Amino acid sequence: MAIDSTRFLEDLHKLRSFGASGVGKGVIRPAYSAADIAARQWLAERMAAAGLTPHFDPVGNLFGLAEGASLLMGSHSDSQPEGGWLDGALGVIAALEIARSSDRPISVVSFQDEEGRFGVTTGSAIWSGGLALDQADALTDASGIRFDAARASMADLAQGFVDPTRFKGFIEMHIEQGPTLDAEGEQIGVVTDIVGIRDMAITFLGQQNHAGTTPMHLRRDAFQALALFNARLNDRFRNVVTPQTVWTIGRVDLHPNASSIVPGRVRFSMQWRDGEPDRLLRMEEIIRTTAQEVATEQEMTLEYGPMLGLEPVAMDPAIRAALEHGAQSVAPGKWRRMPSGALHDATNVARLMPVAMLFTPSINGISHDFAEDTAESDLIAGLEVLDHAVGLLDVF
Ligand SMILES: [Zn+2]
């Protein structure tokens, strides 16, 4: 049976109707909300109609299982508190369409809480063993609701965790959530790797003092230290980074944050992302050297918080090659290889099996917003690439 792009688009619009909100094609469907659970129950019905066996696990991950060994495809169907209609949903509905049209055994998954109401890609993190269930249960959302209470709302649907060894690989199609493909007029991105992340808090401790009576040369001003650190870091990174490397000081706590006080302390987040483990390490060395230098010059005490992070994940060469072949056949000259700067469920699933990812363009690079959208012709091109790739794979 051939893929049916009309049925694919209809199901995508139907999924959007659960939690449809805002102007354009906005969606409010956070994990475990009434809209999310209703959407998952509808998805389970669609999976059953496709000949798959629906299976909810103890945290609300929904699988549509093919019999025997199969290739797993999918993404997530929860949304940000204000999200778009394609983030996650595209990968789930595309997987469903491939499963019901392909003669290959394809299973479908919609992971729960990818958008991190409780953790980070919570559902796939737990399933893959990256996050222990009892640890997850103690996590709380922004309003103080615990994860165990939230997942209890789906307890009547729950069976056990699915044995991952029944799957021979995982493919996740997702919107790019960045500007590259749209700006270049391209239809498809074949992901090379999902970038790694490092994140740590840094503190400069100086001397809090009176902003009127303290002469400039006697100040140990924590804000000045941060400003100097930032400028020097940007300069030094230039020799090390690629155009894909990113770094962010996203949170700054300046103490006491008052206009007539020389700030004595600044604690800030330092986050950096890249696809190369070596580059992540080199950047860490530059961060530490620069911070130490500034601390010495400015007479600051320097403190570091614990280093958090995830390693970069390379896509499986065989599945990736099949996707590239599909992209070349469906969109010749209008596709590229590219890293994923955003985290995805595939990062977790890579602990269990070979994974690969495919991107479709995000119009104006917008996502996590009601305005998120992709041209229908590009959505269909992505579906066709998946179909082509699945036909080439010999993982079954
Ligand atoms: Zn997503």
Side-chain angles (χ1 to χ4, degrees), residues 249-269:
I249 295 176
R251 196 198 62 240
V252 175
D253 300 320
L254 190 66
H255 185 83
N257 211 23
S259 54
S260 287
I261 302 178
V262 176
R265 186 182 77 218
V266 64
R267 182 181 161 88
F268 58 97
S269 63

Side-chain angles (χ1 to χ4, degrees), residues 75-76 78 86-89 114-115 172 174-175 177 343-345 367-368:
S75 188
H76 62 93
D78 61 301
L86 297 172
D87 182 352
E114 192 275 346
E115 299 291 5
E172 179 172 11
H174 204 282
I175 49 169
Q177 302 180 291
L343 268 185
H344 293 287
D345 289 309
S367 183
H368 289 184

Side-chain angles (χ1 to χ4, degrees), residues 221-290:
D221 181 330
F223 175 80
Q224 295 299 328
L226 172 58
L228 186 60
F229 168 77
N230 181 58
R232 226 173 256 185
L233 192 70
N234 289 343
D235 192 44
R236 288 177 184 175
F237 273 170
R238 234 174 263 152
N239 301 321
V240 177
V241 298
T242 74
Q244 279 81 40
T245 314
V246 292
W247 62 95
T248 308
I249 295 176
R251 196 198 62 240
V252 175
D253 300 320
L254 190 66
H255 185 83
N257 211 23
S259 54
S260 287
I261 302 178
V262 176
R265 186 182 77 218
V266 64
R267 182 181 161 88
F268 58 97
S269 63
M270 182 75 232
Q271 186 192 85
W272 60 110
R273 306 189 190 208
D274 192 83
E276 293 289 330
D278 288 352
R279 188 171 294 110
L280 290 170
L281 187 62
R282 181 81 191 97
M283 291 173 78
E284 180 189 347
E285 288 164 5
I286 293 172
I287 289 164
R288 289 184 189 272
T289 309
T290 307

Side-chain angles (χ1 to χ4, degrees), residues 188 322-324 326-327 330-331 358 380-390:
I188 299 292
L323 291 171
E324 289 175 358
V330 172
L358 192 67
I380 293 168
L383 180 70
E384 289 172 348
V385 173
L386 286 179
D387 182 49
H388 190 107
V390 165

Side-chain angles (χ1 to χ4, degrees), residues 89-109:
L90 172 63
V92 174
I93 299 297
L96 180 65
E97 182 54 34
I98 299 295
R100 61 193 169 194
S101 61
S102 176
D103 54 2
R104 302 294 182 93
I106 307 291
S107 295
V108 178
V109 64

